[in-house]
Amino acid sequence: MPHEALASLCKTAEREAECESSARGRVNRIMSTDNELIKNLDKLHTTDLGAVRIRRNLSLETEDVVSWCREKTASLRAVITRSGKNWYVDVEDIIITVNAHSYTIITAHRK
């Protein structure tokens, strides 16, 4: 197969994968609009030690860890799941763990 044809196929496959990923994110976001975490984003908070842990785990420079996590959680690309007593927000190769009852951000780490 000529190099140009192969390159074209690869670019098409990359675009299709990006579109599929984006569409999957939109579907997950639409499905999560009834999600209690999304409805209660204003209740998100963390402890002083939690903020230190999150900054360390993600090498963040920001002082306002809660706003940073709130922004990531509200992202259209965020996939939110609940397992037991915690919510898990999977976005941009990061997992944010939030207590489902108190809305306390427990930790965040890179995948």
Side-chain angles (χ1 to χ4, degrees):
M1 178 176 283
H3 176 61
E4 294 82 22
L6 183 58
S8 178
L9 280 174
C10 289
K11 286 181 183 177
T12 300
E14 287 173 7
R15 280 193 295 264
E16 287 176 3
E18 287 174 9
C19 288
E20 182 181 331
S21 175
S22 178
R24 193 173 32 243
R26 278 192 220 103
V27 168
N28 287 331
R29 184 72 174 132
I30 290 167
M31 290 171 53
S32 70
T33 55
D34 289 333
N35 179 301
E36 288 302 312
L37 181 57
I38 295 297
K39 288 180 183 177
N40 292 287
L41 280 177
D42 59 316
K43 294 181 182 178
L44 278 183
H45 66 281
T46 194
T47 63
D48 291 340
L49 287 176
V52 169
R53 181 172 45 252
I54 293 164
R55 269 190 225 100
R56 182 187 63 233
N57 289 353
L58 300 178
S59 302
L60 294 179
E61 298 292 325
T62 184
E63 285 297 313
D64 194 351
V65 172
V66 174
S67 290
W68 188 90
C69 288
R70 188 176 287 129
E71 182 180 311
K72 295 298 179 186
T73 302
S75 166
L76 292 176
R77 292 180 181 248
V79 177
I80 302 169
T81 56
R82 182 171 173 174
S83 179
K85 64 181 182 176
N86 294 328
W87 290 107
Y88 297 93
V89 181
D90 185 338
V91 60
E92 299 174 11
D93 292 329
I94 294 168
I95 305 287
I96 302 170
T97 305
V98 179
N99 180 279
H101 300 291
S102 66
Y103 298 101
T104 304
I105 305 165
I106 299 166
T107 192
H109 61 274
R110 299 203 182 275
K111 285 189 196 177

